[in-house]
Each structure stands twice: as C-alpha cells, then as structure tokens.
Amino acid sequence: MRRTPSRRLLAAALLVASVLTPVAVTPAAAVHTPGVDRHHGDDCPPGGLGPEVTARLDKAIEDVRRQAGIPGIVAGLWMPGRGGYVRATGVADTVTREPMTTDVFVRIGSETKTFTVTALLKLVDEGRIGLDDPISDYVDHVPDGEHITLRQLAEMRSGLFPYTDDPDFQHDLLSDPQRTFTPHEVLAYGFKHDNTFDPGAQFQYSNTNLVLLGLVVEKVSGRSLADFIDQRVLRPARLRHTVFPVDSRIPEPHPRGYTDQTLTGEVTDSTDWNPSWAWAAGAMISDLHDLRRWAKVVATGTLLSPQTQAERLRMLPTGHPSTSYGLGIFDSGGWIGHNGSIPGFETVTVYLPSQKATLVLMLNTDITYQGQEPSSLVARAITEIVTPDNVYDSPVPPR
C-alpha cells in the first residue's frame, strides 16, 4: 500500500501533499458567467472583470486543469469595485463526459473545520466553555488531556497523533469505504500512539483535534453536532445549501469525484464513499453560492463577538512561509479561510480583507500533480493574475 493516505486523507491541501498520477481527461466546453450574484449586495459591477483579465483567467485555469489532469473545476471570484468571474470548465463525469456546471454540490472536506470551530466559538461567546479549558474536562481518556486545551486543539498544536496516519485506520477505511465510523472509533486509532510533541510546542495538522472539538460541542450543547451547526451556524448565516450528511448521499446535482487514495493506488470513483470517518473534521457538503457567503462570514466574524473573532484570527506559524493558522482558519498570502480535501473532491473558500474579495474553488478530484494539491495550483494561478501582491499558497522562493 502506498503511503499516500497516511499523508493526505482529509489533510489540509496547503500543508501536506504527495506525488500521485493524475487522471487523464479530455477538455470540455466551459461555462463562463461573469457578473453579479443578485443575492450578494457587494458592489461587484456587472460585466465581469473585463475582457483582458477574463481571458487571462480563462487560459490560466484551463492550462492548470489540463496539465494537472483535473476532470472539472468550478471557480468563483468576486472583487467589489472591479467585478466578478464565475466559470465551470471540464467534466462532471469522466465516463459520460457530462460537463461541469456552476450549480453543483460537492464534499467540502476540511472546510468543515470552519463550521465546527464556529460552533465551538458560539459556546465561548455564551460563556459555556473557555478556550483554555483542558479537553479532559469534556472528554475522557485523551492522552495528556489535562494539559491540552481547546485552544490548542483548534490551533492544531495539541500534539495528538492524527488518526488518519494510523495504518490500521487506512486499511480499514480503504477496504470498506462504505463503512460507518463513530467519533470514538476513529479517535481510538490515534490514541494508541504516543503524542508527537508537548501541547503547544509546534503545529501539526491533525483531524483528531477537530473530532474532539465536535464531541465538546455535543456534550456542552446537549445536541448532535449536525443539529447544533444547522441551528446555530448555517441558519444564522443563511446557508440553505450546506449540509452535514448523515449518510453517503450528496444532493443533486453533483459531479462524480475521483481519487487514487486506494489500497492499490488505482484511480476510482469515490463519490459515494461514506464520510463518517471525517465527521467534525471534514464530512460536510455545500455549493458555490453558500461558500461565497460563508467566506466573508467566517473571515469577518459575522456570527461571533469581536473579541472572540480576534482570538480566532490570532495566526501562528505553520512552517510554510506563506501560511499561518488560527483557530480552525488560515491566512495564506493574506487570503483568510480554509481549503478542503477529501477523497474525490477539493475546495478552497477564502476572503481577502484588504480588497473585500472572495475566491471559491470546487474540484472533483484530490489527485495531486507533481506533489501539489490541484486546488492550490488553481488558486495560485488565479491570484497571481488578480492579486499579485496576495498570492495564495505562494511557493517558497529558491535560495
């Protein structure tokens, strides 16, 4: 078995990668819809970003799509005062060659973390929990749990072993992708390992952290995580097309998703894999419209007090020069938000406060190209054109 799953299962695309063989696709006609989304009064002039910028974006996105072997891409960019750009290119299904469209639902992977942490921070604002409470106050049998705080879990600085790195977990998931996992079952895979460092000592992306925070939300609220997020996060944010699934189904319409995170390394259709193993760390589903709205909500703290939002945006180093991490949110080249990667799908939802700009990407593959996540390649190509002073996931300059 390849080591790919241990490094990439639901990992943040900016922070881990591996070399995989891209799926080959035939280029398909693109759907290009520039202009204003009438549901967002954010001063994006009609007519798009102008013919020159639009043509450059068209070419850059299609070049990356073909080079990296990405079946389909949905890209949305909104820049108040300048205009907007919405495009679907490639295919939603590599068998039927059905074209990708902008109205699809996709799995958003680790973007789920922004919803789980928002739910947690709602409880902080209500005075029901404290960020510096130890996890042992809420969940038993966490290794060194009396010294690991909720803040450190949300910052990815707990030192708890990532359960997705455990070989038994990888085998059990990939042997039966339809299997249902409970939160405590996935935690057990991680807890059998020693912690990787002392709490707070460094950054390590770990889904173990977010599963624990999901359990905290459930214990304190007395409700399921899915119900609490729906009632206290999705509804106030007016996200009507975002769901926390209870099974493997995705609302229609949706593209097929393709991965090579398999026991053999062969590419397979993972659309209907059960995401229960990702739960609070990566199980959710959304669409372009809702992700556009969410980008600004989560980056500006619409649902939280200013004090709590300031805590959320206290960014710390990750080891990648262009990326820092706060409480379930990152800053990459000035773009604030999160990305997502789950077998078959990748997303990026980010907001640039300096220009009040929003970028949303949805891809129907997680197969990397030359060690880089496909969503990062697309986001980088777009931001190099429209915000050259703020490039997403900027590569490390050569010495």
Side-chain angles (χ1 to χ4, degrees):
M1 176 181 172
R2 303 172 309 144
R3 285 195 45 82
T4 302
S6 68
R7 297 171 61 190
R8 297 188 60 250
L9 275 174
L10 200 68
L14 287 178
L15 306 172
V16 289
S18 59
V19 180
L20 306 174
T21 303
V23 59
V25 297
T26 302
V31 178
H32 179 222
T33 315
V36 177
D37 180 338
R38 66 182 182 275
H39 299 290
H40 298 265
D42 55 6
D43 192 30
C44 285
L49 294 169
E52 180 182 353
V53 173
T54 296
R56 291 178 65 195
L57 289 172
D58 286 348
K59 183 178 186 303
I61 292 170
E62 190 62 13
D63 285 350
V64 172
R65 190 185 74 79
R66 295 188 187 195
Q67 182 181 44
I70 302 167
I73 299 171
V74 177
L77 174 67
W78 299 270
M79 306 189 74
R82 292 178 61 181
Y85 174 97
V86 177
R87 177 185 179 113
T89 183
V91 297
D93 187 320
T94 61
V95 175
T96 66
R97 314 307 300 169
E98 178 184 354
M100 183 71 94
T101 58
T102 60
D103 60 347
V104 293
F105 290 85
V106 297
R107 301 195 189 279
I108 63 172
S110 286
E111 288 195 32
T112 302
K113 293 174 172 65
T114 61
F115 293 94
T116 298
V117 173
T118 299
L120 182 85
L121 295 179
K122 296 284 283 187
L123 296 174
V124 170
D125 271 344
E126 294 171 4
R128 300 172 72 180
I129 61 173
L131 282 172
D132 296 312
D133 294 346
I135 185 60
S136 59
D137 285 358
Y138 305 96
V139 182
D140 294 331
H141 310 302
V142 178
D144 202 25
E146 65 275 14
H147 298 122
I148 297 172
T149 67
L150 305 186
R151 183 191 303 275
Q152 289 164 340
L153 293 167
E155 291 173 338
M156 301 293 180
R157 292 175 177 269
S158 70
L160 291 168
F161 187 89
Y163 67 84
T164 50
D165 281 10
D166 177 73
D168 292 332
F169 168 77
Q170 297 161 23
H171 179 270
D172 292 347
L173 172 63
L174 298 180
S175 296
D176 182 11
Q178 292 300 325
R179 172 179 170 176
T180 298
F181 289 87
T182 69
H184 289 286
E185 284 174 341
V186 296
L187 287 175
Y189 289 102
F191 287 174
K192 68 184 182 181
H193 296 271
D194 292 337
N195 291 4
T196 56
F197 52 82
D198 292 335
Q202 63 188 70
F203 176 93
Q204 181 187 34
Y205 196 83
S206 174
N207 293 304
T208 301
N209 298 330
L210 267 291
V211 171
L212 286 169
L213 293 181
L215 291 175
V216 172
V217 171
E218 290 198 330
K219 181 168 185 176
V220 175
S221 70
R223 299 155 75 174
S224 72
L225 178 64
D227 183 57
F228 189 86
I229 286 178
D230 179 63
Q231 296 291 327
R232 301 301 306 281
V233 179
L234 301 182
R235 294 193 182 192
R238 292 181 293 159
L239 304 184
R240 300 181 179 89
H241 304 111
T242 303
V243 295
F244 201 118
V246 296
D247 53 31
S248 61
R249 289 175 292 182
I250 305 179
E252 295 286 354
H254 65 262
R256 308 306 297 178
Y258 303 95
T259 189
D260 63 355
Q261 295 199 71
T262 58
L263 290 176
T264 63
E266 296 179 357
V267 175
T268 193
D269 184 330
S270 56
T271 311
D272 300 317
W273 286 14
N274 189 331
S276 62
W277 61 273
W279 195 53
M284 291 179 69
I285 296 166
S286 192
D287 71 354
L288 182 67
H289 177 274
D290 273 15
L291 292 179
R292 178 189 179 186
R293 183 183 296 278
W294 181 241
K296 185 175 182 179
V297 168
V298 72
T300 62
T302 302
L303 301 183
L304 303 173
S305 70
Q307 296 81 6
T308 298
Q309 180 68 4
E311 291 290 312
R312 174 175 221 160
L313 296 183
R314 189 172 68 92
M315 302 288 178
L316 297 174
T318 63
H320 190 297
S322 71
T323 304
S324 54
Y325 205 88
L327 302 179
I329 196 168
F330 62 56
D331 180 322
S332 182
W335 290 90
I336 295 174
H338 218 288
N339 58 353
S341 184
I342 192 168
F345 299 92
E346 287 201 345
T347 55
V348 173
T349 298
V350 287
Y351 181 80
L352 183 62
S354 63
Q355 298 192 36
K356 298 182 180 179
T358 299
L359 174 64
V360 176
L361 299 176
M362 306 190 304
L363 285 63
N364 60 340
T365 187
D366 67 313
I367 300 173
T368 63
Y369 175 72
Q370 295 184 350
Q372 299 187 73
E373 300 287 342
S375 59
S376 287
L377 294 172
V378 179
R380 187 183 305 152
I382 291 172
T383 55
E384 284 175 343
I385 293 171
V386 296
T387 56
D389 294 331
N390 298 98
V391 176
Y392 178 95
D393 192 22
S394 179
V396 179
R399 292 185 178 182

